[in-house]
Amino acid sequence: MPIAKRRACVTCTNAKCKCSPQSDNLCQRCARLGKQCVYLDLPERKKRRRNDDDDEGGSNSRVVALENRVEELVAQLDAIRNGGTRHVPTSSSTDDTSPPSTGALSIPDALRSSGPASQKPELLDAVSEGYHGREPPKTSVLEGLPDIVDRGFLSVSEAENLVSQFKSRFVWMFPFVVLDPSQTVVDLRKKEPLLFLAVVAASIPSAHPIRKLLADEIMQHITSRIVASSERNLGLVRALLVLCAWYRYPAQKGHVQLMLLMNLCTTMVYDLGLNRLKGELTTDQQRALLGTYWVTASLPRGLNRPEAMANSKKIEECCNNMAVSTEYPSDRCIRPFILAQSFVNTIDSSYSELGESGHDETLVRIMVGAKLRQFESLEATLKEELSRLPNPTTSVFTCNMHYVNIAIRDMALDDEYVSYQTRHAFDQSPSAEAFKTSAYRSSLLWHLLRHSKALIQAYMDIPDAQLSQVTVFTLSQICASLVILPRSVSALLKLIVARQGPPHSRTWPVQGEALDEARAIVDEADFLSTTIRLYEKFRTLIVGLTTQEKGLDVAGTLCCHMSVLASWYAPRVQAILGVDLVVKHPLASITPHAGDIVDVINAANASNSGNTSTASVPPVVYHSTERTGSTDVQQGFPGAYTGAEDGNYLFSDELWASVLESFTSFA
């Protein structure tokens, strides 16, 4: 039997020699030298003791305790993720040698402990992702509750008809949300109830009795599911996009609710990671991402708000993918939508960087020329793609093309856009003053006049039966054109007056060739007649609404604003020229009252009373007039004309700016 290996004896240890055992208590060296061989019983090494324990089937007590604690933490995390709050008892060890507990371990402590990582994948994921609580719910908090069809407010057949109209007609105006032709109303109501409500709200007539109930139902879903419960899924994004595109009710000043819906849509896209997911997105995901970009880039320009989502490589990739998609015919509309709006965004970005130097004529020529060349190339591509689209969509794209032309040239309207206070807060540079009276600016203004009028005409070319399918984004373009058209006329007429010489030497009122030129401008714009035709077109959208209901409808408020704006147009022209060249119409028969004007000016002064950096609007001064035949002779200056028959009010540049500013941000 071989002799067990043991430590060296005392003699060999002192001599630092090798000690080879010969028998149990005698080594070979001591036996050869005749020395006494003594072995000491020293404590075994820790490693040896652990190996012995392993051989005997034991386990390290601390490792066992840590592993048990990790299992407990994992179980607690599973309970929390599943929505439970029950306490998971700590598993205890029956080993008497286990050391006493030193307190609860934190998750990082548990992760640093030994044990196979494959047993703790959920715990590792939770910590690496910054786990701060339970995940958003996977199901709706309103699931199972009866909807408007179940409660009898809308019949099944009517719901099917509205959804069918959306599938076949509305999608061409906003191709970013498409319903599968095979998807039934029952399936849509069950799986995507908010999208169902949004589709009904878009398709339903304005005078339908359940309109307010429908709006309340939609807001209940938004507040309960999206805001309170933080639900996040693709169906909600699609529903929000539809609500934004066909927003009609309730109309609010500044469109606060519409902006909220747009921001919620953007937030949800980011939360779902559609803008950064690697790999190929589904076609519905790509449409949702592109639709959110288009929505948040289109309307903020009309509302004077910053865009919420910028262009990116992911958006360009999805745009190119949808251009070759054959899943739905409306997919071929997506790329033209995105390309046109992206180009408008580049225009705004380029012009915003110019600042005050943007009024220099040389710089304006360079910028406008460059943008026109870029748009010429883009327009050729868009026209080729638009040739394959149905007529209603083509009319909307025609509006878009005119809107792009307006965006390129609207720098020429700066002095008409800027308020009285802003214009007098700083001195104009010589180059800016030279540009304001240049022939090049006059050319830009003529283009603005014609494109604004053409945009409105393109909208009026849409058949009445298809007007309800037009989105709110096209309505915002109509509103912008309705303001830019009279502003262009005003700016051109002021240029004619300015060419007559210094104020003290001008002929007043305007006569001769200058008057003929002014009459040509007014006739070309034909503002009142254009406004009347547009007014009649909009009235088809609000048939059956009461006066109060019209004030809560987007189209209804636009009709009201058109009437007011038309009533101020003739006084503005007369204030500049001293001659009334505008043919009267019943829509424009409202004569602005002197008291209303005083209220406007006093309100402007009151709002600026605490701001010493800006000049206030001068108080109303009633200039005397001298009647010569049928013409009023102004004893003042162009743009400050006492235009009423009784010389009862002052219409100045400042007042005109205050009137127009109330219509600038989408009515």
Side-chain angles (χ1 to χ4, degrees):
M1 179 178 179
I3 301 174
K5 185 176 181 181
R6 59 188 303 178
R7 293 188 179 184
C9 65
V10 174
T11 304
C12 293
T13 300
N14 292 334
K16 297 181 179 180
C17 296
K18 180 179 180 181
C19 182
S20 300
Q22 181 173 319
S23 61
D24 290 341
N25 294 312
L26 181 65
C27 68
Q28 296 178 6
R29 181 173 181 276
C30 290
R32 187 179 74 253
L33 299 176
K35 295 182 179 288
Q36 184 179 4
C37 188
V38 178
Y39 289 93
L40 299 179
D41 294 331
L42 298 176
E44 295 180 335
R45 292 181 180 177
K46 186 176 182 180
K47 182 177 179 181
R48 175 66 177 174
R49 182 169 64 251
R50 184 164 62 248
N51 291 339
D52 290 343
D53 290 340
D54 291 341
D55 293 341
E56 296 171 4
S59 63
N60 183 272
S61 59
R62 177 168 176 78
V63 172
V64 172
L66 292 174
E67 289 179 346
N68 291 339
R69 185 58 177 162
V70 169
E71 293 176 358
E72 175 191 353
L73 292 173
V74 171
Q76 291 177 356
L77 285 173
D78 290 338
I80 293 174
R81 287 180 172 181
N82 295 329
T85 57
R86 63 184 179 84
H87 175 69
V88 181
T90 306
S91 57
S92 58
S93 174
T94 56
D95 189 354
D96 294 338
T97 61
S98 298
S101 175
T102 59
L105 294 173
S106 65
I107 293 179
D109 292 335
L111 290 175
R112 284 192 293 268
S113 65
S114 59
S118 60
Q119 297 177 1
K120 308 183 281 294
E122 296 184 28
L123 186 60
L124 290 170
D125 291 342
V127 175
S128 63
E129 294 175 1
Y131 190 84
H132 295 293
R134 66 182 183 182
E135 292 183 349
K138 303 296 183 182
T139 57
S140 171
V141 295
L142 300 181
E143 186 175 0
L145 295 180
D147 61 8
I148 57 175
V149 177
D150 296 325
R151 303 202 302 273
F153 293 106
L154 193 70
S155 66
V156 175
S157 60
E158 190 173 7
E160 290 176 346
N161 181 48
L162 293 173
V163 173
S164 176
Q165 290 182 34
F166 183 88
K167 290 180 179 179
S168 61
R169 303 175 186 173
F170 283 71
V171 69
W172 289 101
M173 298 292 186
F174 188 78
F176 303 104
V177 178
V178 185
L179 299 181
D180 195 311
S182 63
Q183 187 176 24
T184 64
V185 174
V186 175
D187 187 50
L188 183 63
R189 289 168 51 201
K190 180 179 179 181
K191 294 183 178 179
E192 297 180 287
L194 181 57
L195 180 57
F196 166 71
L197 293 174
V199 167
V200 171
S203 310
I204 204 167
S206 298
H208 199 286
I210 71 165
R211 193 184 192 196
K212 184 179 184 304
L213 172 69
L214 190 60
D216 294 340
E217 191 93 355
I218 289 172
M219 291 312 298
Q220 181 184 2
H221 273 263
I222 292 174
T223 54
S224 300
R225 299 177 61 187
I226 300 177
V227 179
S229 300
S230 301
E231 289 186 35
R232 297 292 186 267
N233 58 66
L234 185 61
L236 292 178
V237 178
R238 283 152 51 88
L240 290 173
L241 287 174
V242 174
L243 291 173
C244 290
W246 286 281
Y247 184 85
R248 294 285 193 273
Y249 177 92
Q252 297 171 324
K253 186 175 182 180
H255 297 277
V256 178
Q257 190 175 102
L258 178 56
M259 292 301 299
L260 174 62
L261 294 175
M262 292 167 54
N263 291 334
L264 285 174
C265 192
T266 306
T267 299
M268 196 172 299
V269 165
Y270 283 131
D271 289 344
L272 295 175
L274 299 184
N275 62 313
R276 55 181 172 81
L277 287 178
K278 296 181 179 179
E280 189 75 17
L281 301 178
T282 65
T283 52
D284 279 339
Q285 288 177 327
Q286 293 183 68
R287 293 188 194 97
L289 175 62
L290 295 172
T292 302
Y293 166 73
W294 189 78
V295 165
T296 58
S298 299
L299 198 56
R301 188 177 197 270
L303 295 175
N304 196 23
R305 302 286 187 91
E307 59 179 292
M309 180 178 287
N311 204 343
S312 64
K313 291 183 178 179
K314 191 68 176 180
I315 291 175
E316 293 178 358
E317 174 188 340
C318 294
C319 183
N320 293 331
N321 291 340
M322 299 310 300
V324 296
S325 172
T326 57
E327 185 175 6
Y328 297 107
S330 58
D331 286 344
R332 60 178 180 263
C333 299
I334 293 179
R335 188 166 180 264
F337 270 106
I338 298 297
L339 291 179
Q341 187 55 50
S342 297
F343 186 71
V344 172
N345 292 349
T346 61
I347 296 172
D348 293 340
S349 177
S350 299
Y351 287 178
S352 64
E353 295 175 357
L354 297 180
E356 296 180 20
S357 61
H359 298 86
D360 182 84
E361 180 176 346
T362 302
L363 191 55
V364 171
R365 283 179 177 271
I366 294 174
M367 294 296 295
V368 172
K371 293 302 178 183
L372 286 176
R373 287 190 295 273
Q374 294 174 17
F375 181 61
E376 184 179 356
S377 175
L378 175 63
E379 190 175 21
T381 301
L382 294 178
K383 285 183 177 180
E384 180 182 354
E385 298 188 14
L386 293 177
S387 62
R388 301 190 297 269
L389 302 180
N391 288 334
T393 310
T394 304
S395 298
V396 170
F397 268 107
T398 301
C399 292
N400 284 340
M401 296 301 97
H402 289 299
Y403 191 69
V404 174
N405 276 289
I406 291 172
I408 293 174
R409 299 174 173 90
D410 69 356
M411 186 185 300
L413 280 174
D414 274 355
D415 73 312
E416 290 289 315
Y417 273 109
V418 180
S419 67
Y420 173 84
Q421 291 86 353
T422 305
R423 281 188 282 132
H424 289 74
F426 56 87
D427 294 331
Q428 293 286 342
S429 64
S431 60
E433 292 294 339
F435 171 67
K436 289 171 61 174
T437 58
S438 67
Y440 181 68
R441 178 170 180 256
S442 178
S443 173
L444 295 179
L445 291 171
W446 270 104
H447 281 287
L448 284 172
L449 185 154
R450 287 165 177 158
H451 282 294
S452 299
K453 185 178 176 182
L455 192 155
I456 296 173
Q457 185 60 49
Y459 175 79
M460 290 191 290
D461 290 339
I462 300 175
D464 291 351
Q466 299 168 351
L467 288 180
S468 61
Q469 303 162 23
V470 177
T471 66
V472 71
F473 310 107
T474 301
L475 296 186
S476 70
Q477 295 177 358
I478 298 295
C479 186
S481 300
L482 197 63
V483 175
I484 292 174
L485 181 54
R487 279 180 163 165
S488 302
V489 172
S490 174
L492 285 168
L493 295 180
K494 289 169 67 177
L495 285 176
I496 292 175
V497 174
R499 287 200 295 268
Q500 303 303 305
H504 63 275
S505 63
R506 293 172 184 168
T507 302
W508 190 262
V510 175
Q511 301 174 3
E513 293 183 2
L515 183 59
D516 293 338
E517 188 178 352
R519 183 176 286 109
I521 293 172
V522 173
D523 292 344
E524 176 70 22
D526 196 20
F527 177 67
L528 285 186
S529 297
T530 301
T531 304
I532 300 307
R533 295 195 301 271
L534 182 61
Y535 179 86
E536 294 298 329
K537 198 76 172 179
F538 272 126
R539 288 182 61 183
T540 61
L541 297 173
I542 55 176
V543 174
L545 295 183
T546 64
T547 302
Q548 183 179 8
E549 290 171 340
K550 290 177 183 177
L552 296 174
D553 183 271
V554 171
T557 58
L558 286 176
C559 287
C560 177
H561 290 154
M562 272 187 272
S563 300
V564 177
L565 184 58
S567 70
W568 290 89
Y569 179 66
R572 175 57 175 173
V573 172
Q574 192 171 0
I576 297 173
L577 301 175
V579 181
D580 187 4
L581 297 180
V582 180
V583 178
K584 294 295 188 296
H585 191 281
L587 182 64
S589 61
I590 306 172
T591 300
H593 191 268
D596 298 333
I597 297 178
V598 173
D599 291 340
V600 171
I601 295 177
N602 290 340
N605 285 334
S607 65
N608 292 315
S609 59
N611 186 358
T612 59
S613 62
T614 58
S616 61
V617 180
V620 175
V621 178
Y622 299 111
H623 294 271
S624 62
T625 58
E626 180 181 343
R627 302 292 295 181
T628 305
S630 62
T631 307
D632 291 329
V633 179
Q634 169 64 34
Q635 306 297 324
F637 53 90
Y641 178 68
T642 348
E645 289 294 330
D646 55 0
N648 213 18
Y649 67 87
L650 171 72
F651 199 100
S652 62
D653 288 348
E654 292 72 45
L655 182 57
W656 176 243
S658 66
V659 170
L660 291 180
E661 282 176 356
S662 64
F663 301 98
T664 301
S665 297
F666 190 14

